[in-house]
Amino acid sequence: MAADTSVAKPVDAPPLKPLVLKSKLASTPRHAPKYSVRVKNAAGQEVVVACPRATRALVALMDVHAVNGGAACHWGGPAAFAEMMAAIHSILFSTTGREWHEAFNFINDAGHAENGIYALRSNYGFDGMTFDTLKGFRSIASKLTGHGEAHLNPEGVLMSNGPLGSAFPQAQGLALADKVAGRDRVTLCVISDGASMEGEAKEAFAAVPGLAAKGRMNPFVALISDNDTKLSGRITKDSFSMQPTFQSLAALGWNVIPVSNGHDLQAVYLAVERGIAEAKAQPAKPVALWIKTIKGYGVKSTEENAAGGHGFPLANGEKIVEFVAEIYGGQPPEEFANWAKALRVDWEQKEAAKKAKAATQPPAAAPAVKKDKVQSGLAKGAIRAAVEGYPVFSISSDVQGSTGISSFQKSLPDRFVEVGIAEANMVSVAAGFSKAGFVPIVDTFGQFGVTKGNLPLTMAALSQAPVIAMFSHVGFQDAADGASHQATTYLAATSAIPHTAVIAPSCSDEAEALMYLAIRRIAEDRKAGKDGESCVFFVGRENYPLCWAEGARYEWAKAQVLQTGNDVVLVGCGPLLSKAIEAGKKLAERGVSATVINNPFVNRIDLPTFTDAVKRCSGRLVTIEDHQVVAGMGAQLSHALSDAGVAHRVKTLGIHGEFGQSAYLAEELYQRHGLTTDKMIEAALSLIKG
């Protein structure tokens, strides 16, 4: 690259004006919150603020409805943010003379605290919300998704959140754009200390004051919740302290306003009010409110929990009465107490029904099929390789309990490091370990691995530094968290990276075998002077049988034929292989003979196996995957067959260019998007008839 010395003549153009876009955000609430408290503003006047305890109680109650439906939920974050959000919304909704969103951009980067915003706004009746609205939280019928999503809830969410640190730079863009447009608007962005570890966030921490100092930004206020806690534990203990980062903000150009107690509502309100006033008075110096909070605040057990009760600690309504009572110091409002009692009664009735059913059912005729999460097999394979002497090392970014690698880390506690909530940094660190002679394994949710980790994965391959990735919760498997967490482009995002094998195992035994082979292949290649290739494993989150066929063999880059037939080929991989297996059985009942194939090596097509099967079945092929149809497993398989001159007709079942959404169960999303056994049967029969 060279300096730009090109010459261009200035041209005349009309004045720059943005498109006139009508805001979809709901209007300013006309009523004060139903449950409120009063604080004093800087002028000494009393102002009405939504009661933080009501927010916490509503979060707890709505979360029980979600867990009853089968969804996981967040508690620690919204509990920590309750006072901040109460103060912010009191100021937002006190806007006069125009709509609140014309005076403010409000961005919540901390998607894990979005349910607290739903709870708070229902207290105001914002957007017609009632407390009953909260009962559908995270269901497929509700727009109150696991994290704030603008495509489903444009009335309440300006910018979608979920991937930590990503909404913060979007807020920066809003403030820059408002300056260009000449608008009178202040941008407020709430971000957590965990999200502040992300590279995107750190770039914005530098860019916001840098651009503001040049007169390019509208007033900007960042509210940082600092409680030294993340999903899996304490930030300082598990990775490294964020205090030096926050201490450096002043040197970067931020006007830092510390708040020592983020649960003193009066102090928080005055700090937010002051921050907005100072940002408006001096837009060239953005404000950072550094607010000390306690994750899980309001309930002793979650306050003391290592992760601050990040996920909701109650699995049902058994203890919700006591939980809500503790939030209120023993005396919750009657409305909340009765709601909690109703949830408790519902739990008691379900328990009684279970016992009655168990008492009347005959003994099971056969033992249940053993099941496990696929990622547990990946960890077993890594442990096996390490015990055999291969230099395996784990590099994590906070979610090792969810990805399954934690069993490796607990078994070999001197062979891992956690780099904090920073997926891109995690993969790059692994490349360094690889170059130094180790076989590194990284892990995170699929969505964050393929988005934030894609360039580092590419650079690792380009640097002849192969890494192994365990990316879990792919496709619709992360149902409750919603579209921001649902990786539906994961195969497309990684399959074209040179020297990188993309693998989607479908059961624990297969995962264990292939992980062991991946480690051994890299180690032996490197010892032989070869570059080796990276391996990216994509797995779901649900339990599956340990294996799909007794005595199954798992070979590198080989497809696995589970059933042989002559009429149609059914192909699946990963979370949806079971649909293909079931479709093969049901077709057999109709007299249709299907070949069923497990295709774990998505971008390493086993042409001999597929050529033989497809030719035997007169070119009829049906594929199914928890992924976009574009550039997915089916597309890659069909292309390989076409390139090899194998004539075929294919029906690909996948996602057709849409985002997902929250749902209690992945199966609900599979039904909505046609990723079912019945649809696979329908596709097979249409090929046979056609």
Side-chain angles (χ1 to χ4, degrees), residues 10-90:
V11 298
D12 291 328
L16 178 62
K17 292 183 180 179
L19 301 173
V20 179
L21 305 177
K22 181 176 173 56
S23 177
K24 297 179 181 179
L25 290 165
S27 60
T28 308
R30 297 180 179 179
H31 306 290
K34 183 175 183 180
Y35 295 98
S36 64
V37 294
R38 294 179 181 272
V39 298
K40 290 187 177 181
N41 63 18
Q45 302 164 321
E46 280 197 342
V47 293
V48 175
V49 180
C51 177
R53 290 192 301 182
T55 295
R56 292 188 178 95
L58 288 166
V59 167
L61 292 164
M62 67 193 283
D63 279 3
V64 173
H65 286 277
V67 297
N68 282 346
C73 296
H74 293 119
W75 157 257
F81 282 43
E83 282 76 16
M84 279 196 305
M85 292 300 186
I88 291 169
H89 280 75
S90 177

Side-chain angles (χ1 to χ4, degrees), residues 3 79 183 195 214 354 356 424 545 547 557:
R183 298 189 180 110
K214 298 178 71 174
K354 285 180 186 177
C547 63

Side-chain angles (χ1 to χ4, degrees), residues 250-284:
L252 287 172
W254 290 86
N255 172 11
V256 180
I257 300 176
V259 181
S260 60
N261 181 0
H263 304 294
D264 179 342
L265 182 58
Q266 176 65 71
V268 172
Y269 183 92
L270 289 174
V272 175
E273 185 183 36
R274 174 188 164 191
I276 293 170
E278 293 187 7
K280 291 173 73 173
Q282 193 177 4

Side-chain angles (χ1 to χ4, degrees), residues 37 64 91 107 174 187 198 210 226 304 316 339 406 447-448 508 540 573 588 606:
V37 294
V64 173
I91 293 171
I107 306 297
L174 285 167
T187 295
E198 293 280 9
D226 176 15
E304 296 176 349
N316 49 51
W339 187 350
S406 62
Q447 178 72 324
F448 310 142
S508 180
C573 65
D606 179 6

Side-chain angles (χ1 to χ4, degrees), residues 146-207:
H147 299 80
E149 293 174 10
H151 74 299
L152 293 176
N153 186 15
E155 300 85 0
V157 180
L158 178 59
M159 292 286 196
S160 298
N161 60 47
L164 293 178
S166 294
F168 184 30
Q170 289 183 326
Q172 170 192 334
L174 285 167
L176 282 163
D178 276 345
K179 180 68 175 181
V180 172
R183 298 189 180 110
D184 174 24
R185 186 155 54 191
V186 178
T187 295
L188 302 177
C189 182
V190 182
I191 186 169
S192 67
D193 49 352
S196 299
M197 305 179 87
E198 293 280 9
E200 295 167 278
K202 292 189 175 183
E203 290 173 18
F205 274 131

Side-chain angles (χ1 to χ4, degrees), residues 494-567:
T494 52
S495 288
I497 300 175
H499 314 302
T500 302
V502 174
I503 308 163
S506 57
C507 63
S508 180
D509 284 0
E510 180 182 33
E512 179 179 355
L514 297 183
M515 172 60 85
Y516 172 77
L517 289 175
I519 293 169
R520 192 177 74 180
R521 280 171 56 82
I522 289 175
E524 297 305 324
D525 279 350
R526 301 298 299 284
K527 285 193 293 185
K530 301 177 183 178
D531 293 342
E533 66 175 7
S534 292
C535 301
V536 183
F537 289 93
F538 289 112
V539 297
R541 69 177 299 183
E542 297 178 353
N543 291 325
Y544 293 91
L546 298 182
C547 63
W548 296 106
E550 290 297 326
R553 295 180 57 195
Y554 306 103
E555 301 177 58
W556 194 258
K558 290 291 290 182
Q560 184 185 39
V561 179
L562 299 171
Q563 176 180 313
T564 302
N566 300 313
D567 294 325

